[in-house]
Amino acid sequence: MVGVFGETTGHYALQCMMDRMSRDRSGREILKDKPRINSSSVDMDYLRGLPNDTVGNCYVNFMDKYGLCADSRAQVRYVDSTELAYVMQRYREVHDLVHAINGMGTGRNQH
């Protein structure tokens, strides 16, 4: 429900995110290539074999600890612009990665 609310009311925020990405070299590359974070693009078994001090291992440990999977984020349905829909999808897909890197849990009081 929160995700749908973000889709239907977040046009300005999505536009700001896309504009900021467009001003950055890496952001432009992401917008051009449109990489995804899902079970088709991420080999979780490979990440489990990485050293503990890597982003990949941190991410997979977080996902395992909380019983999450890379496909758990809903597809964007209510954003008309293809570009802004990708920005929203990307935002959703990096959400767990941000939590993992920052040592955050998944509880309401930990956001």
Side-chain angles (χ1 to χ4, degrees):
M1 189 58 116
V2 173
V4 171
F5 183 73
E7 287 182 36
T8 58
T9 64
H11 180 84
Y12 178 74
L14 292 172
Q15 187 65 55
C16 288
M17 283 190 270
M18 188 171 81
D19 291 347
R20 189 167 185 175
M21 291 173 76
S22 296
R23 291 190 302 268
D24 178 81
R25 183 174 41 126
S26 295
R28 285 190 302 274
E29 188 173 330
I30 289 168
L31 290 171
K32 177 180 150 275
D33 295 343
K34 295 181 176 40
R36 301 288 307 274
I37 300 173
N38 57 40
S39 62
S40 296
S41 64
V42 178
D43 182 344
M44 300 301 255
D45 288 330
Y46 175 79
L47 297 182
R48 286 183 188 93
L50 293 175
N52 288 336
D53 61 348
T54 62
V55 171
N57 188 270
C58 177
Y59 173 69
V60 76
N61 286 338
F62 175 87
M63 299 298 276
D64 288 347
K65 178 178 179 179
Y66 293 104
L68 303 172
C69 72
D71 296 324
S72 64
R73 298 292 167 196
Q75 294 294 311
V76 174
R77 298 182 301 170
Y78 301 107
V79 177
D80 293 331
S81 162
T82 304
E83 291 299 317
L84 293 182
Y86 173 74
V87 171
M88 174 62 95
Q89 192 68 44
R90 178 77 179 178
Y91 175 80
R92 287 181 180 171
E93 291 176 359
V94 301
H95 182 90
D96 295 321
L97 185 58
V98 170
H99 274 253
I101 291 170
N102 289 301
M104 301 165 66
T106 61
R108 282 176 39 187
N109 62 352
Q110 296 175 335
H111 272 85

